[in-house]
Amino acid sequence: MTQPKKAPRPTGKNPAKSPVPRVRRTPEEARTLALTSARRLLLAEGPDAITLQAVAGDLGMSHTNLIHHFGSASGLQSELMRQMVSELTTTIESAVMRLRAGKAELKDFVDIVFDAFDRGGAGRLAAWMALTGESMHLAPIGEVVRDYIDSVERATDDEGGAAAIHERVTSATLFVTVAALGDAIIGNELRKMVGRERETVRKLMGTLLPAVLAPQPKGGGHS
Amino acid sequence: MTQPKKAPRPTGKNPAKSPVPRVRRTPEEARTLALTSARRLLLAEGPDAITLQAVAGDLGMSHTNLIHHFGSASGLQSELMRQMVSELTTTIESAVMRLRAGKAELKDFVDIVFDAFDRGGAGRLAAWMALTGESMHLAPIGEVVRDYIDSVERATDDEGGAAAIHERVTSATLFVTVAALGDAIIGNELRKMVGRERETVRKLMGTLLPAVLAPQPKGGGHS
DNA sequence: GTTCTTATTGAGAGTGTTGTCAATAGTGAC
DNA sequence: GTCACTATTGACAACACTCTCAATAAGAAC
């Protein structure tokens, strides 16, 4: 970091001005740094904190450099959304693979989905996208959810017919995903209010999900 | 352009110009109008759309008038939060009353909670507060949730001891609230992706909640 | 060394939002 | 009628954010 001062070339005007040493990064490194900082700001202060000035100030670079790398402020935000959704989907996809291969149980899958929405603020980001109308970035989640449904359908025994199975699996999928998102957003606050530990909701979901997927022995109101 | 001397403030100096008729409202009416507009903007375009200029433009008044009534922009936002949280809690409170009086079943209660988070964008608002760190406004929700827990505990049969009952009830409460919030935020999007109808998640919750509250015949996860 | 590419920067314009301030205009009280 | 109160307004200042532009500098290629 501490480099000896080279011959300052302050355009021949102010010879005493220090030339503000520059760090020159590779484009990938600069983008990675910016996205990391933006994510940290998102988690710490909310979506509105992700501005070019805030990210640039956090990294000690000029905000114009961020425009150079991402094209615009919305370019940076879109890239952050894309990256976080990508991480979310790949995490869930790997869990789907294990479930499909019979190497994981439903309870583990619930844990993975909850963790995926919690880790790195993915749930908060998804909520932000849904709130601001940027739901097109959520499309990959829809794909992996459909993939998940497909895998669970194969892993489920065939009683009751394909239609009934599909209904149960889609219901269970919506249930898990919605609960995981809600838990990531407001779970901590609510748990503090009632004095419960962190894994409460996901544990309950893990015990209930098999009952949802199992063929209902008793018609519990189909309407 | 160049007025050489003091020009009397141009008011009414043009006899043909219509003097832009003012509507004078009562303070309550002005505040109600502003809050209604702000809520509409929140639902339509997201939290960032709630600006003084946007609300004022929507109502056809000047933004300074909003400052006059709410003190500041954050005053308007805080008042909106307070109002919506108040509606949410009163709705749930009335449901708690009916549940406490034995005039409603758990399934109805689930419907009411889900509707409360959905109606008027209360769920979106709660997510906004959680995201922006304004979670102090969520405190009334905590109170009504504790009230709810108390009422359900009374309505539950006493098998298993008070501690076990309390654990089951708080778990169920967290479960319902978290799922209702997640459903309000992202439920519509996810349902569109997998092609399910609107009541899917809440219906599932209604069928599962009695099992959560019932004494578990088998000791589940201990940790 | 020289040259080229480009990451990086500062200055500045343009826009949007919040807020201040004095002036205006309804409305009721007198 | 006059007066007081205040809801309402326009003009303006201050600030934050985005983005353009020309200039600079770090490193690679030669």
Side-chain angles (χ1 to χ4, degrees), chain B residues 25-49:
Chain B
R25 292 159 276 248
T26 66
E28 302 81 44
E29 187 179 357
R31 290 170 62 92
T32 301
L33 283 174
L35 290 173
T36 303
S37 171
R39 180 184 303 214
R40 203 176 54 73
L41 284 171
L42 169 67
L43 297 186
E45 304 174 41
D48 293 339

Side-chain angles (χ1 to χ4, degrees), chain A residues 49-73:
Chain A
I50 307 179
T51 66
L52 293 179
Q53 292 184 345
V55 174
D58 186 40
L59 295 176
M61 66 171 56
S62 66
H63 74 277
T64 45
N65 201 20
L66 296 175
I67 296 180
H68 171 71
H69 284 295
F70 293 95
S72 65

Side-chain angles (χ1 to χ4, degrees), chain A residues 46 48 124 131 138 142 146 167 170-171 175 177-179 181-183 185-186 189-190 193 196 203 208 212 223, chain B residues 46 48 130-131 135 138 142 146 167 170-171 175 177-179 181-183 185-186 190 193 196 203 208 212 223:
Chain A
D48 292 341
R124 285 167 162 255
L131 256 60
L138 293 173
R146 278 192 292 270
E167 181 177 332
T170 51
S171 297
F175 202 33
T177 310
V178 159
L181 177 75
D183 193 60
I185 294 173
I186 210 178
E189 291 289 337
L190 286 184
M193 291 176 180
R196 289 302 300 271
K203 202 174 297 178
L208 290 179
V212 178
S223 72
Chain B
D48 293 339
L131 258 58
S135 43
L138 293 173
R146 277 192 291 269
E167 181 179 331
T170 51
S171 296
F175 201 34
T177 311
V178 159
L181 177 75
D183 193 60
I185 295 173
I186 211 178
L190 285 184
M193 290 176 180
R196 288 301 300 271
K203 202 174 298 179
L208 290 179
V212 178
S223 70

Side-chain angles (χ1 to χ4, degrees), chain B:
Chain B
M1 297 300 189
T2 60
Q3 278 104 355
K5 297 281 168 91
K6 75 179 260 293
R9 284 299 88 199
T11 302
K13 69 184 173 84
N14 200 336
K17 191 71 68 62
S18 59
V20 185
R22 295 186 184 181
V23 273
R24 189 185 177 96
R25 292 159 276 248
T26 66
E28 302 81 44
E29 187 179 357
R31 290 170 62 92
T32 301
L33 283 174
L35 290 173
T36 303
S37 171
R39 180 184 303 214
R40 203 176 54 73
L41 284 171
L42 169 67
L43 297 186
E45 304 174 41
D48 293 339
I50 307 180
T51 66
L52 293 178
Q53 291 186 343
V55 174
D58 185 40
L59 295 176
M61 66 170 55
S62 65
H63 79 278
T64 46
N65 201 20
L66 296 175
I67 296 181
H68 170 72
H69 284 295
F70 294 94
S72 65
S74 60
L76 169 61
Q77 294 181 359
S78 292
E79 184 60 23
L80 178 62
M81 290 182 185
R82 198 200 58 76
Q83 187 193 60
M84 295 181 74
V85 169
S86 173
E87 292 179 10
L88 177 67
T89 53
T90 54
T91 299
I92 299 181
E93 264 176 355
S94 70
V96 168
M97 293 299 179
R98 277 183 293 189
L99 196 66
R100 188 178 270 169
K103 293 183 179 177
E105 295 183 0
L106 270 178
K107 192 181 293 185
D108 304 323
F109 186 80
V110 170
D111 270 338
I112 291 174
V113 173
F114 270 68
D115 278 333
F117 273 94
D118 194 28
R119 171 168 18 218
R124 286 168 160 256
L125 179 92
W128 176 36
M129 289 189 288
L131 258 58
T132 55
E134 305 271 343
S135 43
M136 60 274 195
H137 294 282
L138 293 173
I141 296 182
E143 291 183 22
V144 72
V145 162
R146 277 192 291 269
D147 204 32
Y148 164 50
I149 289 173
D150 186 52
S151 74
V152 177
E153 283 184 351
R154 298 185 189 186
T156 308
D157 50 348
D158 290 329
E159 306 175 34
I165 290 176
H166 185 264
E167 181 179 331
R168 286 202 303 272
V169 172
T170 51
S171 296
T173 305
L174 286 176
F175 201 34
V176 174
T177 311
V178 159
L181 177 75
D183 193 60
I185 295 173
I186 211 178
N188 276 330
E189 292 289 336
L190 285 184
R191 275 188 291 269
K192 257 186 288 181
M193 290 176 180
V194 301
R196 288 301 300 271
E197 65 274 16
R198 192 165 177 280
E199 297 83 5
T200 300
V201 174
R202 74 173 64 182
K203 202 174 298 179
L204 203 50
M205 179 63 78
T207 62
L208 290 179
L209 199 56
V212 178
L213 288 173
Q216 292 155 342
K218 193 177 183 180
H222 65 290
S223 70

Side-chain angles (χ1 to χ4, degrees), chain A residues 18-194:
Chain A
S18 60
V20 183
R22 297 184 183 182
V23 272
R24 188 186 179 96
R25 293 159 275 249
T26 65
E28 302 81 44
E29 188 180 356
R31 291 171 61 93
T32 301
L33 282 173
L35 290 173
T36 302
S37 171
R39 181 184 303 214
R40 204 175 53 74
L41 284 171
L42 169 67
L43 297 186
E45 305 176 41
D48 292 341
I50 307 179
T51 66
L52 293 179
Q53 292 184 345
V55 174
D58 186 40
L59 295 176
M61 66 171 56
S62 66
H63 74 277
T64 45
N65 201 20
L66 296 175
I67 296 180
H68 171 71
H69 284 295
F70 293 95
S72 65
S74 61
L76 169 62
Q77 294 182 358
S78 292
E79 183 61 20
L80 178 63
M81 291 182 184
R82 198 199 58 75
Q83 187 194 58
M84 295 182 73
V85 170
S86 173
E87 291 180 11
L88 177 68
T89 54
T90 53
T91 299
I92 300 182
E93 263 176 358
S94 71
V96 168
M97 294 299 179
R98 276 183 292 187
L99 197 67
R100 189 177 269 169
K103 294 183 178 177
E105 295 183 1
L106 270 178
K107 193 180 294 184
D108 304 322
F109 186 80
V110 170
D111 270 339
I112 291 174
V113 172
F114 271 68
D115 278 334
F117 273 94
D118 194 28
R119 172 167 18 216
R124 285 167 162 255
L125 178 93
W128 176 37
M129 290 189 288
L131 256 60
T132 55
E134 306 270 341
S135 42
M136 59 274 194
H137 294 280
L138 293 173
I141 297 181
E143 291 183 24
V144 71
V145 162
R146 278 192 292 270
D147 204 32
Y148 163 50
I149 290 174
D150 187 51
S151 74
V152 177
E153 283 184 353
R154 298 185 190 187
T156 309
D157 50 349
D158 290 329
E159 307 174 34
I165 291 176
H166 184 263
E167 181 177 332
R168 287 201 304 271
V169 172
T170 51
S171 297
T173 305
L174 286 176
F175 202 33
V176 174
T177 310
V178 159
L181 177 75
D183 193 60
I185 294 173
I186 210 178
N188 274 332
E189 291 289 337
L190 286 184
R191 275 188 291 269
K192 257 186 289 182
M193 291 176 180
V194 300

